[in-house]
Amino acid sequence: MKLDVDALRYLSKEDFRVLTAVEMGMRNHEIVPAELVERIAGLKHGGTYKVLRNLLKHKLVHHDSSKYDGYRLTYLGYDFLAIKALVNRGVFSSVGRQIGVGKESDIFEVATEDGTILAMKLHRLGRVSFRAVKSKRDYLLHRRSYNWLYLSRLAALKEFAFMKALGEHEFPVPRAVDCNRHCVVMSLVQGYPLVQVKQLQNPDEVFERIIGLVVRLAEHGLIHCDFNEFNIMIDDEEKVTMIDFPQMVSVSHRNAQMYFDRDTDCIFKFFSKRFHLSFHYDKKDGSDDSGSDLEEDGRPSFWSIEKSTGFLDKELAASGFTRKDQDEIEKFIEGDVRETVTSDDEDCANENQADNDVANAIVNILPCLQLVEKEASLDRENGDNTDEHPDISVTKEPKIAEIIHIGDEINGSDDDCGTGSEDGIPVLTKRLNRQRQRAVAAARGGRKAVVSRNSYKDKGGSKSSHNSKLQRQSCKLYS
């Protein structure tokens, strides 16, 4: 869509308020209902519909009434919101001509109040020429639902972060100025795309400089993934500047070697066809192939590059950077692992061992408690005939005493270790004490049956129904 900023100067605050309301509604709506737009905008005297008609005239929103009456933002409306925000910040004050177009973005010239010329890049994902974004890019990550405006915003944020970090590490990239929504403002590179250059004074030096950038990026943990003659700018002094960064990945990516080899192949093929350079690598006598950093045709080897300069993939959370890589980096930063365990670690180990001993003891005690409860239930079923079975009372008391003694030892060991019931295993210890009290009460015959508050109600059980039958029969006999 062509960017025509002439209508921008005629839009009022109410127009931008309604545009912002449609943008907010698109967070969870593909087509925002008109009632929701009116409720979010909050304009007085019902002026929302009048503003929507004005926005429709300038093609800033799209009206859809297939399922219900609703609106959605167009790329032009999203452009106006981003440009308005950047103008209010004072980043630039005017928009000029279009200087570049690609499958994912449009580039325009903008000027500040003092006359400095900058470049404004508007990401426009979803064009017919490039719609395989879900398989070609990693903007979505774990998300399933998306729209093109949101993907463009993610791409702009990612490119701004990479450009700013690479500029801080003195890479030849444009200076990142500001970013808002899907718009990135950067310094204007005074040069030409390498694809438009027909002759070079020193093609060998330029070639070595470009290949050195690929290797240097890999040493910092990043791979460009789209490093070709279209994304390399060169000026009259043959200084190289690289652009276009949203697709960069980490060297830990599963396809990192393929992307690295593809970048180097693009450069080798272009210089061999355009400037007729021949590449060959003469191995020295007695040199070992395993230690060589170059392949037979002089191309750099991915596995020979050491990631020792920096960890930009971790700082920028590049695609393919895993948790394992982060752990290895932390070990590398902290140094070698200590061989001896400190006193604090020993105390923690002793506490963990004590907790394990307590847990094992409780596991061994639980079967005994279950046996005691089973014996207590047998006593309740058979009645209080302790005279007929005197051996039951004799065998129960030692078990109960042994359980109480073991539980006291466990509680004592916890107190000695200083862990207590709070830092140890409070749930198991409370359960142990509760079962021990129940077992003692059942063995001594003092355990009371637990009666529910709703026991007077007939729940339809067999026992309650049998009792009701007996009551009816007794009533008939007395009558």
Side-chain angles (χ1 to χ4, degrees):
M1 180 178 291
K2 183 180 179 180
L3 177 62
D4 186 8
V5 295
D6 292 337
L8 184 62
R9 67 184 69 180
Y10 301 110
L11 295 180
S12 61
K13 293 182 179 179
E14 288 77 11
D15 295 332
F16 282 104
R17 189 180 183 91
V18 175
L19 269 181
T20 307
V22 177
E23 180 190 15
M24 294 176 63
M26 289 185 67
R27 293 180 179 179
N28 49 12
H29 291 82
E30 184 178 359
I31 303 296
V32 186
E35 295 81 4
L36 182 60
V37 176
E38 183 181 11
R39 194 181 312 126
I40 296 175
L43 297 181
K44 297 180 180 179
H45 309 295
T48 304
Y49 292 94
K50 180 180 178 181
V51 173
L52 285 173
R53 287 196 298 270
N54 186 31
L55 297 177
L56 276 173
K57 182 178 66 174
H58 295 291
K59 298 181 179 180
L60 303 181
V61 295
H62 176 74
H63 180 244
D64 190 350
S65 59
S66 58
K67 295 183 179 179
Y68 53 86
D69 188 22
Y71 299 86
R72 64 172 176 86
L73 270 181
T74 61
Y75 261 118
L76 186 59
Y78 209 47
D79 295 341
F80 277 24
L81 287 175
I83 292 173
K84 181 66 174 178
L86 292 172
V87 169
N88 292 337
R89 293 179 189 175
V91 179
F92 57 86
S93 58
S94 60
V95 180
R97 63 188 179 91
Q98 184 175 0
I99 59 176
V101 61
K103 65 181 184 297
E104 300 179 69
S105 61
D106 292 335
I107 303 174
F108 296 85
E109 283 184 348
V110 293
T112 59
E113 294 182 355
D114 57 357
T116 305
I117 305 299
L118 302 175
M120 179 182 66
K121 184 175 182 179
L122 298 173
H123 288 260
R124 301 192 185 281
L125 298 182
R127 285 176 170 168
V128 179
S129 60
F130 187 72
R131 287 196 171 182
V133 177
K134 191 171 183 180
S135 59
K136 301 294 184 182
R137 299 289 185 264
D138 62 337
Y139 305 144
L140 288 175
L141 297 179
H142 58 279
R143 305 176 185 90
R144 294 184 179 179
S145 60
Y146 63 94
N147 58 50
W148 295 116
L149 298 179
Y150 182 66
L151 285 181
S152 300
R153 176 179 174 271
L154 293 180
L157 292 175
K158 190 173 183 180
E159 182 171 16
F160 181 78
F162 277 112
M163 191 187 308
K164 188 174 182 180
L166 292 175
E168 292 175 354
H169 287 77
E170 298 181 355
F171 277 87
V173 297
R175 180 177 59 88
V177 178
D178 203 349
C179 177
N180 183 266
R181 292 178 174 88
H182 68 311
C183 176
V184 180
V185 181
M186 66 192 80
S187 61
L188 182 63
V189 179
Q190 301 296 333
Y192 315 94
L194 186 59
V195 68
Q196 299 178 4
V197 177
K198 303 300 181 181
Q199 292 181 355
L200 288 175
Q201 296 180 357
N202 301 309
D204 295 334
E205 295 181 1
V206 176
F207 171 76
E208 292 178 359
R209 199 177 301 126
I210 294 174
I211 292 297
L213 284 177
V214 179
V215 176
R216 187 182 170 194
L217 279 173
E219 289 176 351
H220 281 77
L222 295 174
I223 297 176
H224 192 279
C225 295
D226 197 12
F227 201 76
N228 50 43
E229 62 273 15
F230 297 96
N231 294 327
I232 298 175
M233 305 290 292
I234 188 168
D235 57 4
D236 296 334
E237 298 178 357
E238 297 185 352
K239 291 183 179 179
V240 177
T241 304
M242 56 181 179
I243 58 175
D244 195 12
F245 311 103
Q247 70 283 337
M248 297 184 76
V249 299
S250 170
V251 293
S252 302
H253 196 275
R254 58 182 180 180
N255 298 326
Q257 183 181 5
M258 185 267 292
Y259 291 136
F260 181 84
D261 294 339
R262 188 178 67 179
D263 289 347
T264 56
D265 289 342
C266 290
I267 302 302
F268 272 79
K269 290 179 180 179
F270 175 76
F271 274 85
S272 62
K273 291 181 179 180
R274 179 68 58 88
F275 304 106
H276 306 288
L277 294 182
S278 60
F279 309 102
H280 63 277
Y281 178 64
D282 297 333
K283 297 181 181 179
K284 297 180 180 180
D285 297 337
S287 62
D288 189 6
D289 295 342
S290 60
S292 176
D293 296 342
L294 300 176
E295 297 179 356
E296 295 180 356
D297 55 354
R299 301 186 183 185
S301 177
F302 174 76
W303 300 108
S304 62
I305 298 175
E306 295 181 0
K307 184 184 170 185
S308 58
T309 307
F311 304 103
L312 287 180
D313 52 349
K314 177 188 176 183
E315 296 176 7
L316 302 173
S319 175
F321 188 82
T322 60
R323 176 70 65 179
K324 182 179 179 182
D325 300 325
Q326 184 175 358
D327 297 339
E328 292 178 357
I329 288 175
E330 292 176 354
K331 290 180 181 179
F332 176 78
I333 295 174
E334 294 176 358
D336 296 334
V337 181
R338 298 179 181 179
E339 296 180 357
T340 58
V341 183
T342 59
S343 59
D344 295 337
D345 296 338
E346 290 179 355
D347 295 338
C348 293
N350 293 332
E351 291 178 359
N352 294 332
Q353 184 64 28
D355 294 340
N356 293 331
D357 295 339
V358 173
N360 294 331
I362 291 174
V363 170
N364 294 329
I365 290 170
L366 289 178
C368 299
L369 293 175
Q370 293 176 358
L371 290 175
V372 172
E373 288 186 351
K374 288 182 180 179
E375 292 177 357
S377 62
L378 289 175
D379 292 341
R380 290 193 300 271
E381 292 178 359
N382 296 331
D384 297 334
N385 297 329
T386 55
D387 296 336
E388 297 179 0
H389 303 282
D391 53 341
I392 296 177
S393 60
V394 174
T395 56
K396 283 188 294 185
E397 293 298 335
K399 291 183 179 179
I400 297 169
E402 183 180 358
I403 294 169
I404 296 172
H405 179 66
I406 295 174
D408 294 336
E409 288 181 354
I410 293 172
N411 295 329
S413 62
D414 292 339
D415 296 337
D416 295 338
C417 294
T419 57
S421 61
E422 295 180 356
D423 299 334
I425 43 175
V427 178
L428 293 178
T429 52
K430 289 180 181 179
R431 188 179 300 173
L432 173 63
N433 294 331
R434 192 181 300 111
Q435 291 183 357
R436 183 177 59 187
Q437 293 175 0
R438 290 177 182 176
V440 172
R444 293 177 180 175
R447 182 174 180 178
K448 297 181 180 180
V450 179
V451 181
S452 175
R453 293 181 298 176
N454 299 328
S455 59
Y456 63 91
K457 297 181 180 180
D458 187 7
K459 300 295 183 180
S462 60
K463 188 174 181 180
S464 59
S465 61
H466 180 68
N467 293 334
S468 60
K469 289 180 181 179
L470 292 177
Q471 291 178 359
R472 288 196 297 269
Q473 291 178 359
S474 60
C475 291
K476 290 180 180 180
L477 290 175
Y478 285 110
S479 60

